[in-house]
Amino acid sequence: MILPAPPSPILLLDLVAEHAALQPALNEAMQAVLDSAAFIQGPAVEQFTTALGTYLGDAHVVPCANGTDALTLALMSLNLPAGAEIITPAFTYVATLEAAALLGLRPVLVDVRPDTFNIDPAAIEAALTPRTGAIVAVHLFGQCADLEALRAIAQRHGVALIEDNAQAIGATFRFADGETAFAGAVGEIGTTSFFPSKNLGGLGDGGALITRDAARATLLRQLANHGQSQKYHHQRIGLNSRLDTLQAALLQVKLRQLPANTAARQAVGTYYDAALATVLGITIPARDARSSHVFHQYTIQVEGAGRRDEMQLFLRKCGVPTMIYYPLPVHAQPAYAYLGYQAGQFPVAERLCETVLSLPIHPLLTEEQQAYIVELVKQF
Ligand SMILES: *Cc1c(COP(=O)(O)O)cnc(C)c1O
């Protein structure tokens, strides 16, 4: 059998081309940092975080070294007693609970919804105990978790809501009362990552915390900088977790491109939705009408034992790279065996790990490439 070939090479993400289009501005930003030699806490850090805060509906943004540190700092700022329970989804990137585990807090896993892949509010209710200290929700693949329910549960039970927003920067959620809010700016604290492959990616590691509370922002800023209120005056045990000036300067350039990039991702998502909705054997990602979707990933489910892996292989042979986010649920990871969960305890998460497949979706994916990918999925 002769396999078809793509109209032009298809990548999961084309950062080389994205950056080439921004080259003059990126060069200028880099040169300015070189010239200033203010590599740590230089002026670009404040400029970028202010610009991001404005973009996120006038929230406070506290920069830090990466998205995992952002989660660590968020939990540190809550001053929870040792062993406090942190409710998080079983279907997420491991960093979501790594921070809790390192701080001597106890991750309590709950299952996710089969349609949106996001944390199931009913499962959270069932997992709450007097020791619950926080809920860490994840806006997976670019769509908000059920913030209406999450906010209500957190308020009713007096526990903090932390939003792991590494994948949904710029997504918005509409509440029943008509209020619209940015993902990451609803709970006590939102966290995000500027890892290069995220929707707002730097040219290296970076992260940030988002909050509407000025006092919380001040505390987080201290914690991210050795717990100091001023140089050599340390109020708390903190981290050395700063966003490099160079990354901030480059991120400022990339932030200007974010709305257009998000719109381009959404156009691909809309195209895939329409083209794949009626294809037998696959399920397109469910849309929550209350949330926008910024399509960090476009993740379909492929039904039938072993079919997902077969489709991935078929697509690869035809020049279409795909990814499996995530191949294992968190409770099946050896590092988290100590939590004592058993296979079968989170059936939705476990099933998703066997059926999900993320198709290429990035701002520069051409219409010909999209059509080619859709055609292959249909053929399969
Ligand atoms: C990427 C990611 C993180 C971690 O961010 P880093 O900057 O790589 O530390 C945390 N949570 C989720 C859901 C992520 O996708």
Side-chain angles (χ1 to χ4, degrees):
M1 177 185 164
I2 296 171
L3 291 165
S8 50
I10 297 178
L11 305 175
L12 278 168
L13 188 61
D14 195 350
L15 288 178
V16 171
E18 271 185 52
H19 292 154
L22 301 171
Q23 189 86 54
L26 291 172
N27 282 350
E28 199 182 313
M30 239 179 301
Q31 191 61 50
V33 176
L34 263 180
D35 291 344
S36 77
F39 298 123
I40 303 291
Q41 313 278 50
V45 178
E46 178 91 34
Q47 283 159 16
F48 164 64
T49 47
T50 303
L52 182 58
T54 304
Y55 176 71
L56 296 175
D58 288 323
H60 300 278
V61 170
V62 177
C64 66
N66 56 66
T68 309
D69 275 9
L71 287 158
T72 305
L73 290 160
L75 290 170
M76 285 168 73
S77 82
L78 297 178
N79 274 323
L80 298 169
E85 294 171 357
I86 310 298
I87 296 178
T88 90
F91 186 64
T92 183
Y93 183 56
V94 74
T96 308
L97 52 154
E98 200 170 27
L102 275 174
L103 290 171
L105 305 168
R106 186 170 179 82
V108 171
L109 302 179
V110 301
D111 216 340
V112 294
R113 297 205 36 106
D115 49 357
T116 62
F117 316 125
N118 275 322
I119 194 164
D120 183 352
I124 296 177
E125 297 264 18
L128 284 158
T129 75
R131 294 176 303 280
T132 305
I135 299 165
V136 182
V138 183
H139 303 311
L140 203 70
F141 302 151
Q143 180 168 244
C144 294
D146 185 348
L147 282 167
E148 183 97 46
L150 293 175
R151 187 171 71 176
I153 293 169
Q155 279 171 358
R156 193 158 60 241
H157 296 275
V159 301
L161 173 61
I162 295 175
E163 299 169 68
D164 180 345
N165 197 29
Q167 300 188 7
I169 195 88
T172 56
F173 186 89
R174 196 178 64 253
F175 289 88
D177 64 5
E179 178 205 348
T180 298
F182 277 93
V186 173
E188 253 73 27
I189 308 162
T191 65
T192 197
S193 162
F194 307 124
F195 186 86
S197 65
K198 309 286 177 173
N199 285 27
L200 176 57
L203 276 62
D205 277 311
L209 299 115
I210 303 154
T211 178
R212 304 216 140 268
D213 178 349
R216 171 87 54 194
T218 302
L219 171 58
L220 291 168
R221 206 165 262 121
Q222 286 179 11
L223 286 170
N225 192 19
H226 298 292
Q228 65 188 15
S229 55
Q230 60 187 88
K231 212 167 173 61
Y232 305 126
H233 293 265
H234 304 271
Q235 314 302 321
R236 297 165 187 278
I237 301 173
L239 298 183
N240 173 4
S241 183
R242 294 172 299 224
L243 181 66
D244 290 342
T245 310
L246 188 57
Q247 290 307 331
L250 296 166
L251 281 162
Q252 214 173 340
V253 174
K254 296 204 68 181
L255 177 59
R256 292 201 285 273
Q257 192 63 32
L258 181 62
N261 279 355
T262 300
R265 286 174 178 274
Q266 288 168 332
V268 181
T270 303
Y271 176 82
Y272 280 159
D273 274 356
L276 299 176
T278 55
V279 179
L280 288 178
I282 71 164
T283 310
I284 60 170
R287 307 284 285 267
D288 182 334
R290 300 164 299 174
S291 174
S292 66
H293 199 318
V294 297
F295 285 108
H296 178 57
Q297 301 297 341
Y298 188 92
T299 303
I300 61 171
Q301 294 175 63
V302 186
E303 310 302 333
R307 291 291 282 165
R308 186 269 315 270
D309 292 350
E310 286 167 24
M311 183 184 285
Q312 183 175 43
L313 188 63
F314 170 66
L315 291 174
R316 185 185 303 144
K317 284 181 177 164
C318 300
V320 176
T322 58
M323 285 293 283
I324 296 168
Y325 303 109
Y326 296 94
L328 275 185
V330 174
H331 65 289
Q333 302 287 353
Y336 294 91
Y338 79 95
L339 294 174
Y341 293 113
Q342 305 300 319
Q345 233 176 319
F346 305 104
V348 179
E350 289 170 29
R351 208 184 126 61
L352 288 175
C353 290
E354 286 167 8
T355 59
V356 288
L357 190 65
S358 296
L359 303 178
I361 189 165
H362 64 80
L364 299 177
L365 198 68
T366 67
E367 283 176 18
E368 290 74 27
Q369 291 174 332
Q370 295 167 43
Y372 175 73
I373 293 165
V374 160
E375 205 42 53
L376 290 176
V377 172
K378 285 181 176 169
Q379 265 182 35
F380 173 75

